[in-house]
Structure formats: C-alpha cells, structure tokens
C-alpha cells in the first residue's frame, strides 16, 4: 500500500469496488503525482484546455470559438498496425491477420513499461459510455490515461464523466482501458508539447475485455473507446452474443416521396465514410442525414430487422480534402467551434487550413510547426490530420441519432479504393454472396496507418486492422448472422468503388455529392424498380439505369466506371486465392463455394 499518499486517489466518486481496486492498482504501478476523476463538465474542459495551452500542446484559434490547434510529435501521427496486438489466450483466436503474443508475456512486458510511467503527471480516470446512456444495457468503459489531450478528446468523442459513472451499478461490467503516453517527468524536467514514447503497444486482451495502450497520443491509438473498444473488443462481444460491430457509417436517406431508408457503409480508413455520411445529394428531392461516420453496432430487433447504433458522440474526421465543395456539412459543423484540430496547418490570423481548401494563404505554420508558403514544396498538413467535433452540432444529424434502439438498415455498402477492376457499384445476389464481396474487399493503403501508401491489400469488410479475433471465424460469424435471420428482412449488400481511374489516372466518377445517384439506384433495386445487368461478379447498373441528369461527366467515363472487365477480374483471382490461403482452415466452405462459382462464371 505504497500509493495511499497519492493526492486524489481516495476521492473517488464511486463505490464500485472492482473499479476502485483497479484504479489503485494502476496508480501503484504508474506512480502519478495525483489522480483525477474526469467529470465531463465544462469547467473541466476549460481547465484542461487551458493546461494544454500553457503546455504548448494547444494553440487557441482566434477564428473558431472554443477550438484548438495541436501538432503531434512528427512520429506519432497515425494508427500503428504493426504495434497492435490481439492477445487472446489461444493464438488461433487471434488468427492470421493480427499480431499475437501470449497474454501473460505481453502483460509482463507492458507492466515494466507502465512502471513509473506517469511519474510527474496526473492520472485521469475517465468513466465513459459507448452508445446512448439510456440504453437498456449501456456499454460502459473506463479509460485511465496520463494525457490531458485524451481527456478533452474523450469529452467530444464519448459520453463520459459523471453522467457515465452514474450508470455504474454495484457490479456493472465495463471495459478496462489503460493508456499511458509513456513519458514520465523527473523532478524539474521540462515537458515537451507532445510527449510520447518511441516504444508503442496497442494491445487488446479479448477474453478479459481489456485494453492496454502505451507510447502514443494519436487518436486511434489513445482514445480507447474508439477503435480498441468499439471495434476490436466489441467485435469479440458481438461474436459471442450474435451481433455485429463494424467499421461503418450510418446514414438516413429520404426519397422525394418521403420514404426513409437507413444505409450502413464500410470503407477502409480514409476511403470516404465521413464524406458519404454527410453527403449533400446532387439530385433534387433526395435528402441525407447523418447518424455516424465511423462505427456501427448492429443487432436484430424483435421484428427481425437489423438495427444500427453509432457508439460515438463525435466525428474524428480526416481534414485534408474536406471543404465546402466536398463536405460542406463537416465544414459547417467545425465552423461552430468546440473542436480540436491535430496536425493541420495554422493560419496567421488564428484559423486552420489544409490541402483541399482551395487557394493556400501566402503564409502558414505547418503541422511540423515550421513556416510554410505555397513554394515550400511540402504539404502544410499531415495527410492523416484530423478534426474532432461533436455530432450534436452537425446541422444534418438525424433526429434519431441517439435512439438506443437504433435504426433499421436497408442496405449495407462495402467499398474500397481501387484504380481498376472494381465497378462503381455492384449488387450482390444474396447475403452469402455479399459476405464474399466483403470478405474479399480490397483497397489501396492510405495515410491513416503508418506504412507504405497506395499498395493494394485485402481489407475484409474494411475491418482488417480492427477484427478482434480470427478473420476466418469473423467470416463464419457474418455467414451465420445471415443464416439465422429472415432473409427477406436482411439488408441488401452492395460493393462500391468511387476511385476507379481512367488511363490518364483521372477519377472516372466525380464522387462526393454525386454518390447520391448510386444510393438512389441501390434503393430502387431494393424497391424492385431499377434495371441492372447480371455479370459474373453481380448485378451492375447500365449507364441508363443510373440517374445521370445534370451530371458533369462523359458517358464514356461512366461506362468505363461501370465496366466489368473479365481480364481484370481474372487477374484478381490469384490475389483472392492467396488471401483465402492465408485465412486457411477457418475459411467457411460457403465462401470457398462462392469463389469457385465466381471463377466458373468468369470462365
Ligand atoms: P476514417 O475516418 O479514417 O475511417 O476514413 P473515412 O472512410 O471516414 O474517410 P474520409 O471520408 O475522410 O475520406 C478521406 C479521403 O477520401 C479524402 O481524400 C477524400 O477526398 C476522399 N473521398 C471521399 N469521398 C470521395 C469520393 O466520392 N470520390 C473521391 N474521388 N474521393 C473521395
Ligand atoms: Mn475509421
Ligand atoms: Mn472518417
């Protein structure tokens, strides 16, 4: 009992015995100067953003009220997939796509990293809830962190503090999420604006519903309610309990006849979820409202429909490329303030700027904190720079975005970033074929994770970095979810590709608001109204079947975007073969059957 003297440790606003003993155990190990229970109040926001300004981590923006600019350490800018581990008890439960280490071995390593790692800092205890607080069974978590940046980001991204703690009954279950930036301060040692550690681990212990993260302050590595809980740990819960935790946006589409449809869509990181979630349709009479831009939890309701809930409370969106032409709704949301901007550029008059916003100003402070001019020859903003802003202030949020029951999903879109091969949109024959499409989804890598950009890789259901268990078991789970459901009530599955290019490397499809035309076609397919041609890979619209009125694109481009090129597909076959070989024995036979049928259709 060495830690009894840590100020704040005994001022816990809860009697939850398990939580209290865990907090004490972590404080004993990490040796912070004090312990603070995050309450989620505005006063706390003001105090901590002030502290971050004093530390040089934040610069307050003059042009956006209650908003801040931050530049990370240049080495701490994205998720670190090669440092991410699924430490299941049995290695087979982590599977061929995840890094694995024996849980006790990992704990031994990380315990030594955590030992004294909060010295000279404050340890914050953040009770939080993913999804609405008034759910029958609120999905609780507690993040312990030594980063003020994490606490204020969690203010935006989650329901947290006192209102979450109020949901902790005596024996409430919750996900334990431990985070340390791994930068202890010795007496008198000056801090740096973005403390972090060269050694990084992002570790999930699925059986224990526990997360240990060390060394990084970047959102995807440090805001543990997001990818770590809501995808990696939740996907394991979902497998055990018969639901789905997916890397999907949720949008509400209203037709000119005022019929409402809800669509969920999975695209890999930096491939268009946030953009589609907030789309401004280019076709008259259609309306899109947003429920979520990154994660969907989907369960069957008593009526047999699949209902989706967004576990998050904010948007953590890719900044570059976002502007009033591509995503006006995101721009209006951040214009209201109360937002954090990380690794974008700072203007001389105290606003933010990034590539894609039009003509650059003559001078900026770059994300590297250097003077920047249009002649600098490098980007002013990191390609994975992000804005963090509350959903509540998005003008086009659907009124039902916080309904704990969720919304009934009519269609699921899978999509990737592919310069060739994959048509603009393809409708699956049935659920199993749709699962095959998802399981073989491929995309060119982006800056959202460290590593090489532009390499085609399989990214099943856009979940490659987020499946908390064996990918083969995950496919089996998807197949079974469909088998156990009423087929007539299952969402229809589509595969889209906004990123096909012409021979001159131009995008063939204008994308963004024009994607509404593809949503319209999908809805009309569900209603049995739109035409399609059957191809070896599924049902694809003819150019006539898409509403192209007023579209600024040549028919030739559209036809090329829609084309099913048998030779390109034949070149895809060995890649799928290799992918399925990697999945190994756990690959469901039904997916193998789908693959054989595809090969046969291609001839
Ligand atoms: P995460 O938040 O990392 O999970 O990614 P995301 O799927 O939300 O990606 P986001 O919507 O932020 O898309 C980022 C990139 O995709 C930007 O470079 C956008 O310009 C580009 N993008 C989005 N939609 C379209 C589109 O319809 N066409 C084209 N060509 N680019 C698009
Ligand atoms: Mn994401
Ligand atoms: Mn996004």
């Amino acid at each position: 009992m060495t830690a009894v003297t840590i100020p704040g440790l005994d001022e816990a606003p809860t009697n939850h015995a398990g939580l209290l003993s865990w907090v004490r155990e972590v404080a004993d190990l990490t040796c912070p100067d004090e312990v603070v229970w995050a309450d989620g109040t505005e006063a706390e926001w003001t105090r901590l953003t002030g502290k971050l300004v004093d530390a040089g981590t934040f610069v307050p923006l003059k042009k956006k009220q209650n908003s801040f600019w931050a530049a990370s350490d240049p080495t701490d800018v994205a998720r670190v997939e090669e440092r991410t581990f699924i430490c299941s008890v049995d290695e087979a439960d982590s599977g061929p796509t995840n890094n694995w280490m024996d849980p006790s071995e990992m704990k031994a390593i990380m315990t030594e990293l955590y030992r004294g790692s909060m010295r000279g800092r404050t340890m914050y205890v953040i009770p939080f809830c993913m999804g609405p607080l008034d759910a029958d069974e609120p999905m609780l978590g507690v993040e312990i962190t030594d980063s003020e940046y994490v606490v204020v980001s969690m203010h935006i991204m989650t329901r947290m503090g006192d209102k979450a703690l109020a949901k902790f009954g005596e024996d409430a279950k919750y996900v334990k999420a431990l985070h340390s930036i791994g930068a202890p301060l010795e007496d008198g040692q000056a801090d740096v604006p973005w403390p972090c550690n060269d050694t990084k681990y992002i570790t999930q212990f699925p059986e224990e519903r526990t997360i240990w993260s060390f060394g990084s302050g970047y959102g995807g590595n440090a805001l543990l309610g997001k990818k770590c809980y809501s995808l990696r740990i939740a996907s394991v819960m979902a497998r055990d309990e018969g639901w789905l935790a997916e890397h999907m946006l949720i949008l509400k589409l209203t037709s000119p006849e005022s019929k409402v449809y809800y669509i969920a869509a999975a695209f890999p990181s930096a491939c268009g979820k946030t953009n589609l979630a907030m789309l401004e349709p280019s076709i008259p009479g259609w309306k899109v409202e947003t429920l979520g831009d990154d994660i969907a939890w989907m369960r069957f309701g008593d009526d047999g429909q699949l209902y989706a809930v967004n576990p998050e409370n904010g948007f953590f969106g890719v900044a570059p490329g976002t502007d009033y032409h591509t995503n006006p709704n995101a721009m209006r949301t951040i214009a209201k303030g109360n937002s954090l901007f990380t690794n974008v550029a700072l203007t001389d008059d105290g606003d933010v700027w990034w590539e894609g916003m039009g003509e650059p100003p003559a001078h900026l402070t770059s994300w590297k904190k250097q003077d920047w001019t249009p002649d600098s020859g490098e980007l002013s903003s990191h390609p994975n720079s992000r804005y963090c802003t509350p959903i509540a202030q998005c003008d086009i949020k659907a009124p039902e975005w916080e309904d704990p029951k969720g919304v009934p999903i009519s269609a699921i879109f899978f999509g990737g970033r592919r310069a060739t091969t994959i048509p603009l949109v393809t409708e699956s024959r049935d659920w199993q074929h749709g699962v095959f499409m998802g399981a073989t989804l491929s995309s060119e890598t982006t800056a959202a994770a460290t590593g090489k950009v532009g390499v085609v890789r399989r990214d099943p259901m856009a979940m490659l970095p987020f499946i908390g268990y064996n990918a083969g078991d995950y496919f089996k789970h998807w197949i079974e979810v469909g088998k156990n459901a009423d087929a007539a009530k299952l969402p229809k599955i589509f595969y889209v590709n906004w990123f096909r290019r012409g021979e001159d490397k131009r995008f063939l499809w204008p994308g963004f608001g024009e994607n509404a035309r593809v949503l319209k076609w999908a809805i009309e397919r569900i209603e049995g109204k739109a035409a399609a041609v059957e191809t070896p890979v599924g049902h694809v619209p003819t150019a006539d079947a898409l509403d192209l009125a007023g579209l600024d694109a040549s028919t030739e481009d559209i036809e090329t975007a829609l084309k099913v090129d048998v030779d390109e597909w034949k070149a895809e076959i060995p890649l799928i073969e290799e992918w399925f070989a990697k999945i190994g024995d756990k690959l469901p036979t039904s997916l193998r059957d789908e693959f054989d049928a595809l090969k046969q259709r291609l001839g």
Side-chain angles (χ1 to χ4, degrees), residues 325-542:
H325 299 288
T326 57
N327 193 345
N329 289 306
M331 295 302 284
R332 286 178 205 124
T333 308
I334 59 181
K336 292 185 188 166
N338 313 310
S339 302
L340 309 176
F341 299 88
T342 306
N343 290 340
V344 304
L346 180 66
T347 67
D348 294 350
D349 62 351
D351 205 349
V352 285
W353 195 87
W354 48 73
E355 278 69 27
M357 269 198 194
E359 280 300 299
H363 179 264
L364 293 165
T365 305
S366 76
W367 76 277
K368 291 180 180 164
K369 294 190 169 171
Q370 289 163 355
D371 285 318
W372 185 95
T373 70
D375 303 325
S376 288
E378 59 176 15
L379 298 172
S380 72
S381 305
H382 188 275
N384 191 42
S385 53
R386 300 264 169 172
Y387 57 81
C388 178
T389 193
I391 298 176
Q393 64 189 42
C394 177
D395 289 336
I396 61 152
K397 65 179 185 292
E400 59 275 47
W401 77 281
E402 294 203 88
D403 187 342
K405 193 166 102 262
V407 293
I409 298 297
S410 298
I412 291 175
F413 282 37
F414 292 121
R417 182 184 283 267
R418 286 293 303 268
T420 68
T421 317
I422 311 297
L424 176 63
V425 55
T426 313
E427 180 196 342
S428 65
R429 292 185 169 69
D430 52 26
W431 182 265
Q432 181 175 297
H433 180 227
V435 174
F436 174 77
M437 286 174 162
T440 55
L441 183 79
S442 55
S443 200
E444 294 151 20
T445 50
T446 67
T450 54
K452 224 173 144 198
V453 168
V455 182
V456 173
R457 68 172 185 183
R458 299 296 126 182
D459 192 340
M461 284 79 173
M463 281 283 282
L464 181 67
F466 308 122
I467 303 170
Y469 57 104
N470 187 299
D473 289 332
Y474 172 74
F475 298 156
K476 179 165 153 246
H477 181 58
W478 263 88
I479 296 280
E480 275 170 8
V481 161
K483 276 200 189 130
N484 297 336
D486 176 347
K489 291 181 178 168
L490 278 171
K492 248 190 189 304
I493 299 177
F494 297 83
Y495 190 172
V496 298
N497 177 22
W498 315 139
F499 300 93
R500 203 165 183 180
R501 292 177 192 260
E503 290 192 338
D504 51 2
K505 302 290 174 225
R506 210 167 27 87
F507 289 120
L508 292 164
W509 177 251
F512 300 102
E514 305 296 0
N515 293 336
R517 300 172 192 273
V518 174
L519 300 184
K520 179 183 173 187
W521 179 79
I523 293 307
E524 287 175 349
R525 287 297 293 170
I526 291 169
E527 299 284 6
K529 291 197 287 203
V533 282
E534 178 151 13
T535 78
V537 298
H539 294 93
V540 175
T542 57

